[in-house]
Amino acid sequence: METTQGLVIRIKGAAFFVESGFGEIRCSLRGKFRLGDAPEEVLPVVGDNVLVRIEQGRGAGGTQGVIVELGIRRSILARTDPSQRKGYRILGANMDQAILVFAVKEPELNLRLLDRMLVSAACGPMDAVICVNKMDLADSRARIDESLAPYRTMGYRCVCSSALTGEGVEGLAGMLAGKLSIFAGPSGSGKSSLISRVQPGLELVVGNVSARTGKGMHTTSHFEIHRIPRGGYLGDTPGVREFGIWGVSKEKLAGYFRDFALFRAGCRFATCTHSHEPDCAVKDAVERGDVSRDRYESYLRILETVSDERNMKRPW
Ligand SMILES: Nc1nc2c(ncn2[C@@H]2O[C@H](COP(=O)(O)OP(=O)(O)OP(=O)(O)O)[C@@H](O)[C@H]2O)c(=O)[nH]1
Ligand SMILES: [Mg+2]
Ligand SMILES: [Zn+2]
C-alpha cells in the first residue's frame, strides 16, 4: 500500500485536492479525524498537511486517494459561523500571513472590520499585512495615510495598491515569496484582481461591485491556494460581510491589540478588561491620545461579543 504526504489546496464538495510528489491527487476522506487529544472530530481544510493512501494510479481520472491522517496545525484562520450550524468555521490552516484587502471605496473602507480580522490573524497565529486597494479612486491620499498611521505605529506592514494602475503590486509580490499567504477582506475589495496582477496566469474570476449597494457581489466562491513560482502559496478567499471573532476570550482579547500592549501592565487589576474597571491604564492612554479612540471602540465592540475564559468552548 502506497502512501504519500501532501497539502490540501482545494476542496470541492466531498472532494479534497491534495498536492503531492505524485502531482495533484483527488481524495476522499477515510472517516473521523481528531487533532491531538481533541474530543471533537475535525475535517481537513485548505492548507492542511495530510497523509494520503494512493488508491488508483494515473488513469483517465488522474491519481485518486484517501486522506488517512491529518497533521497538527501550526495556525488557523477561524471566524464564527454566520449560519451558526457549528459555532465556528475554519477558513484555512498553516498560513504564514493574511493579506487583509480593503478598498478605499466601493466598498467603503471599513476599519472596524479590519480590527476584527487583525485579532483573528494574531490569534491564528499568523502575520498580517494591511492592503488598501483601489488607490486610483482615492479623493485624498493624505486621509488614507492618516487612517493607516496607527497601524503603521503598531508595526503592521501597510500597502497602498491599485490593481488598475499597478501601484503597490511589486511591493506586495515581494512579501509573498516563500510563504503561505491568504488574501481576505470584504467582497469587491479587489482580492482576486490583485492576485491576478501579482501572479499573472492564475486567471481568477473577477466580479463587479453593485452600483446600487456599492458592495461586492461575492464572486469568489471557495478558498483555493495556488503555488507561486517564487516559492510559497497564495490563497484567494470569498469576500466576507461580517467577521465574528471565534476562539478568543474576554480575558485574552486585549492581548491581540498590539497598541494596548505597552499600557496593560499599568492597570490596577491584573484581570482588567479595560472596560468598566477603575484605574485602567489603557483607558488613560485613550484619553491622552496614545491609543486611537477608534481602535478602543473596536475593542469594546468585540469584547461584548466574546465569552469569558471559563465559558469558552474550543474543540482543541
Ligand atoms: N478602480 C479599481 N477597481 C478595482 C481595483 N481592483 C479591483 N477593482 C474592481 O473591483 C471589482 C471587484 O474586484 P474583485 O477582484 O472581483 O474583488 P474580490 O475582492 O475578489 O471580490 P469577491 O470575490 O466577491 O470577494 C471588479 O470590478 C474589479 O475590476 C482597483 O485597484 N481599482
Ligand atoms: Mg474574488
Ligand atoms: Zn485596563
Side-chain angles (χ1 to χ4, degrees):
M1 188 178 65
E2 199 168 14
T3 56
T4 182
Q5 211 178 316
L7 176 70
V8 179
I9 55 169
R10 178 169 78 251
I11 299 172
K12 282 203 171 143
F16 292 72
F17 294 85
V18 175
E19 194 184 271
S20 75
F22 291 80
E24 194 173 299
I25 310 176
R26 185 192 165 97
C27 296
S28 56
L29 293 184
R30 184 206 53 185
K32 295 183 193 307
F33 294 96
R34 290 178 208 286
L35 282 180
D37 44 12
E40 190 180 320
E41 182 189 323
V42 294
L43 291 177
V45 295
V46 171
D48 265 326
N49 289 306
V50 292
L51 190 67
V52 171
R53 193 175 66 218
I54 310 286
E55 294 281 281
Q56 197 182 309
R58 291 165 199 284
T63 310
Q64 300 202 3
V66 179
I67 297 180
V68 291
E69 283 296 340
L70 181 57
I72 288 295
R73 293 168 174 161
R74 116 183 107 76
S75 70
I76 55 166
L77 188 62
R79 60 183 289 198
T80 54
D81 187 346
S83 73
Q84 289 303 328
R85 244 177 322 166
K86 203 172 175 190
Y88 67 95
R89 191 176 285 178
I90 293 177
L91 304 179
N94 299 322
M95 287 149 307
D96 298 301
Q97 57 185 3
I99 317 293
L100 305 177
V101 182
F102 287 75
V104 167
K105 58 173 161 187
E106 299 174 26
E108 285 306 318
L109 183 57
N110 182 348
L111 295 177
R112 304 294 66 83
L113 178 62
L114 168 66
D115 290 337
R116 304 178 85 83
M117 297 185 83
L118 285 173
V119 168
S120 294
C123 179
M126 69 192 72
D127 287 338
V129 174
I130 299 169
C131 175
V132 178
N133 189 40
K134 306 202 185 184
M135 283 304 285
D136 54 287
L137 300 180
D139 300 319
S140 155
R141 301 186 76 94
R143 267 237 324 278
I144 305 291
D145 268 335
E146 217 173 279
S147 308
L148 289 177
Y151 299 94
R152 290 209 165 97
T153 307
M154 285 176 243
Y156 283 112
R157 289 169 294 168
C158 299
V159 183
C160 292
S161 71
S162 166
L164 203 69
T165 66
E167 173 183 351
V169 169
E170 248 326 292
L172 201 53
M175 295 177 182
L176 305 175
K179 299 204 164 134
L180 203 168
S181 311
I182 171 174
F183 280 58
S187 179
S189 62
K191 299 175 293 298
S192 303
S193 306
L194 271 178
I195 293 177
S196 309
R197 261 320 273 239
V198 169
Q199 203 52 67
L202 278 184
E203 292 177 22
L204 303 175
V205 181
V206 168
N208 279 316
V209 171
S210 157
R212 189 174 60 82
T213 63
K215 294 197 171 132
M217 316 275 256
H218 294 276
T219 306
T220 304
S221 58
H222 68 283
F223 176 25
E224 170 167 7
I225 56 177
H226 309 267
R227 187 196 275 279
I228 48 175
R230 290 191 235 193
Y233 293 82
L234 279 190
D236 192 9
T237 61
V240 297
R241 235 181 239 115
E242 54 194 315
F243 199 94
I245 305 290
W246 177 82
V248 178
S249 64
K250 279 198 197 312
E251 289 84 346
K252 299 261 168 71
L253 179 62
Y256 297 115
F257 274 73
R258 289 188 184 180
D259 36 356
F260 294 10
L262 291 172
F263 307 103
R264 283 162 57 207
C267 297
R268 191 206 301 182
F269 302 109
T271 55
C272 189
T273 62
H274 324 298
S275 50
H276 57 274
E277 298 88 345
D279 297 330
C280 169
V282 172
K283 276 192 280 182
D284 291 346
V286 175
E287 289 307 322
R288 284 196 311 272
D290 287 339
V291 165
S292 121
R293 197 166 283 280
D294 289 339
R295 287 274 297 169
Y296 184 61
E297 278 296 317
S298 280
Y299 170 79
L300 290 181
R301 275 201 233 170
I302 298 172
L303 190 68
E304 274 176 22
T305 67
V306 297
S307 340
D308 294 330
E309 188 73 33
R310 62 191 148 80
N311 294 329
M312 286 279 300
K313 280 196 237 97
R314 278 196 205 87
W316 63 86

